[in-house]
Amino acid sequence: MGILNITPDSFSDGGLHFHTDAALSKGLQMMEEGADLIDVGGESTRPGASPVPIEEEIRRTIPVVEQLSKRGIPVSIDTMKPDVASAALESGAKVVNDVSGLRNPRMIELIEEKRPTVCVMHMQGEPRTMQENPSYVDVVAEVKEYLLGIASRLTLPKEQIWLDPGIGFGKTVQQNLALLQSLDSLVETGYPVLIGVSRKGFIGKTLGDESPDDRLEGTLATQAWAQIKGAKILRAHDVKAAARAIKMIAAIQSST
């Protein structure tokens, strides 16, 4: 899953693809580099980010969703807002990626009505506050319980419900590492698991506070770990590198 942020303030690539032509060009490039689908988002969810009005999020994302979809490119819409998700589905999107974990009942109603594939993510708190003091008794058990609870409310086929433990969303470095260490406990539920670790802060802190641009090696290592553990979808900024790593690991796995 190639990440396409149409925002001025995303933590890694904010502003690079803010205009429709630049975003479209980047989306096409990522498909050439090996992406299977493009995740279009118009609101930054980095720690401390402020909400974007519905109309502005639609203005940013829908032209890109339309243009990519017209070219036959699978698109997911990265949004917490039912109105944005609805507009994106009408414009050709096939997946709704909701980082709030379907907290809004209207989002569940939309998913049940339109029946797209949906990614349910776990997030403690909200983007503006999620990293202030994340606290769990048992982060692995609590994240799994939440995701399965939401998944059980949906009548979609199991393969259309992706579970995302929300690495970096209301978790400390150690909590992120614990979720990755125990990823097989989520994989064994039988739902496809999506992992988004690309260039995230816990990688920089683990390796010595590197900036987002210096986190490629840590990202690839973490994505490889997730793939070996059974994750089915990897959300990536560096699509070419990620796709090549995925292909190499798959070749090794298939040779045994």
Side-chain angles (χ1 to χ4, degrees):
M1 175 187 275
I3 299 169
L4 186 54
N5 290 320
I6 310 174
T7 60
D9 58 343
S10 290
F11 81 96
S12 179
D13 55 355
L16 293 179
H17 317 116
F18 192 47
H19 300 290
T20 299
D21 290 345
L24 179 59
S25 176
K26 180 62 175 179
L28 296 173
Q29 176 189 334
M30 288 193 289
M31 291 301 294
E32 292 176 358
E33 291 176 342
D36 297 297
L37 73 162
I38 304 298
D39 193 40
V40 176
E43 178 179 62
S44 175
T45 51
R46 61 178 172 76
S50 297
V52 173
I54 292 172
E55 296 78 9
E56 174 62 14
E57 193 174 336
I58 287 175
R59 186 194 68 78
R60 294 177 182 182
T61 58
I62 298 309
V64 179
V65 172
E66 288 179 341
Q67 290 299 316
L68 290 173
S69 298
K70 284 179 181 178
R71 290 165 168 78
I73 294 173
V75 175
S76 64
I77 182 69
D78 177 1
T79 186
M80 297 181 279
K81 300 181 179 72
D83 291 338
V84 178
S86 179
L89 292 173
E90 291 176 6
S91 299
K94 303 299 183 185
V95 180
V96 173
N97 180 18
D98 181 0
V99 300
S100 74
L102 304 189
R103 293 180 194 174
N104 189 327
R106 288 183 53 228
M107 187 69 92
I108 292 181
E109 292 172 5
L110 176 67
I111 298 302
E112 288 289 281
E113 177 187 353
K114 300 296 185 181
R115 307 191 70 76
T117 294
V118 61
C119 180
V120 183
M121 198 194 81
H122 177 276
M123 174 172 58
Q124 188 175 88
E126 57 171 337
R128 280 188 294 181
T129 61
M130 63 187 180
Q131 290 303 109
E132 289 181 0
N133 186 30
S135 177
Y136 303 84
V137 175
D138 182 335
V139 67
V140 174
E142 290 173 47
V143 168
K144 181 178 179 179
E145 180 181 17
Y146 176 82
L147 293 175
L148 291 181
I150 296 297
S152 69
R153 297 172 61 184
L154 301 172
T155 62
L156 297 172
K158 209 167 188 178
E159 63 269 18
Q160 282 183 238
I161 304 172
W162 300 351
L163 304 184
D164 180 351
I167 302 298
F169 284 81
K171 283 97 177 174
T172 65
V173 171
Q174 288 304 316
Q175 289 161 355
N176 289 320
L177 296 175
L179 286 166
L180 289 163
Q181 170 65 33
S182 302
L183 195 58
D184 40 7
S185 73
L186 201 55
V187 170
E188 68 188 15
T189 65
Y191 292 97
V193 172
L194 182 150
I195 289 293
V197 295
S198 186
R199 305 185 191 175
K200 286 191 173 176
F202 83 101
I203 292 174
K205 291 176 182 177
T206 300
L207 298 180
D209 282 329
E210 277 93 346
S211 70
D213 290 340
D214 295 322
R215 298 172 187 167
L216 176 58
E217 297 90 348
T219 293
L220 292 174
T222 310
Q223 289 171 342
W225 171 271
Q227 181 181 349
I228 292 167
K229 280 282 194 174
K232 296 299 185 185
I233 308 99
L234 300 177
R235 188 173 181 273
H237 294 94
D238 304 286
V239 168
K240 183 177 180 179
R244 288 168 66 82
I246 288 167
K247 185 176 181 180
M248 193 69 220
I249 292 169
I252 295 169
Q253 290 174 323
S254 65
S255 68
T256 58

